Amino acid sequence: MPAPKRYPDELRERAIRLVRDRIAAEPGLAVSRACRSTGEQLGINGDTLRNWVKRERIDDGEIPGTTSTDAARIAELEKENRELRRANTILRQASAYFAQAELDRRP
């Protein structure tokens, strides 16, 4: 499978704006159809463009979902949680080791 393309931010913003303008101009047009046709014109996969539009609509509060900033914060908190659990495990194991060493030293 080829590596995913990294599109410039300007292209993303322009593509999203084109899709949203097209949907506004044609009220009955489905988002996926607008994304597919706009994506073909710009050389972007339609599903990729649909994901960008969906993310933009969630971030703007048009549809329910987890915003980009919330998702980033959640990921940061989950990473911190993993690190704290690891540190707790290390401390627990060290505590057990030193408690055993103390017992072995007693006469």
Side-chain angles (χ1 to χ4, degrees):
M1 179 162 71
K5 292 182 182 178
R6 176 75 178 143
Y7 296 98
D9 291 336
E10 299 83 23
L11 178 62
R12 286 178 183 233
E13 292 167 6
R14 179 174 169 237
I16 292 168
R17 190 174 54 251
L18 287 171
V19 169
R20 294 184 84 171
D21 290 346
R22 184 153 182 213
I23 292 170
E26 301 176 41
L29 184 65
V31 174
S32 58
R33 179 175 227 136
C35 290
R36 196 174 326 116
S37 63
T38 304
E40 287 174 2
Q41 294 171 352
L42 299 174
I44 302 170
N45 184 304
D47 290 332
T48 301
L49 183 52
R50 184 179 50 78
N51 289 335
W52 295 348
V53 171
K54 182 179 179 184
R55 173 64 36 215
E56 183 79 14
R57 292 178 70 200
I58 289 172
D59 288 347
D60 289 345
E62 294 176 23
I63 59 175
T66 305
T67 64
S68 297
T69 54
D70 288 344
R73 181 72 178 138
I74 290 169
E76 180 183 320
L77 291 171
E78 287 175 344
K79 180 180 177 184
E80 182 180 348
N81 194 4
R82 280 191 305 275
E83 290 171 0
L84 291 171
R85 286 180 190 270
R86 184 173 175 266
N88 282 341
T89 301
I90 291 169
L91 290 172
R92 206 175 303 116
Q93 290 171 348
S95 175
Y97 173 79
F98 287 117
Q100 184 62 42
E102 184 66 28
L103 288 175
D104 291 344
R105 268 197 277 159
R106 290 187 182 171

